[in-house]
Amino acid sequence: MSAVLVRSEVPGDREAVNRVVAEAFAHHGLEVVAMVEALNAARRTRASLVAEVDGEVVGHVQLSHSWVDARRKLVDVLVLSPLGVLPSHHGRGIGTTLLAAAVEAARDTGAPAVFLEGSPDFYGARGWSRGSTLGFEPPSVRVPDPAFQVVLFDSHEKWMTGRLVYCDPFWELDCVGLRDPRLAELEARLSTP
Ligand SMILES: CC(C)(COP(=O)(O)OP(=O)(O)OC[C@H]1O[C@@H](n2cnc3c(N)ncnc32)[C@H](O)[C@@H]1OP(=O)(O)O)[C@@H](O)C(=O)NCCC(=O)NCCS
């Protein structure tokens, strides 16, 4: 396979990024595109990276600003969402490469932690931990515990625990966790050994 180049998104990438997001997230792709655009418009985006193969944008990952509501004060943290790769390019390590680059970009911002909602199998195998085991609460009861994941950085201090509070665009577009019947289906899957 041709080499994968990961780089920051530039203004000319917008259309290609929207296409990747829409295709990667299939039936709810347009909702995820709207979320990306809302995060950008609200100036909550802290990094947006693309993966390019042979000059074509085939993957995208975004980091945005949220908070942990710690006892002492609100702590600025990052949320990784969305991560998407064109279906035609799945299974070639592009998602893993983008994820690793996003974690490094998150570390470079000086944030103490980056959170996401996702498959514990996929992310757990790539260095992510279950948030609840490290003193964090998900932003909603509709985020199944195993799906709520975090990577901590050196700037994280012991007191920086508590509930993750997403920035407004996630709530305004109802992009937090899942709703039934998808939530119930996922919970059933996660509880099946
Ligand atoms: C998840 C995604 C980004 C992975 O991209 P990719 O380039 O195919 O990933 P890689 O080639 O690096 O890794 C492939 C692995 O991902 C796993 N994987 C793919 N989709 C997955 C999913 N929805 N849940 C769990 N694992 C998944 C594959 O089974 C494979 O596992 P293996 O390494 O044990 O064989 C891509 O499948 C995608 O865009 N999916 C749709 C959007 C999405 O669900 N994003 C994640 C939101 S949390």
Side-chain angles (χ1 to χ4, degrees), residues 51-65:
E52 217 182 84
V53 172
D54 294 332
E56 183 194 5
V57 173
V58 299
H60 166 256
V61 63
Q62 186 154 333
L63 295 170
S64 56
H65 173 253

Side-chain angles (χ1 to χ4, degrees), residues 20-21 23-26 28 58-60 80-87 89-99 116-123 125-126 147 189:
V20 166
V21 174
E23 289 195 24
F25 287 86
H28 56 289
V58 299
H60 166 256
L80 188 154
S81 179
L83 166 67
V85 172
L86 282 181
H89 287 69
H90 282 179
R92 304 186 199 173
I94 297 171
T96 301
T97 302
L98 269 174
L99 182 66
L116 60 72
E117 297 173 25
S119 155
D121 293 337
F122 182 79
Y123 294 102
R126 289 161 179 80
R189 228 178 24 243

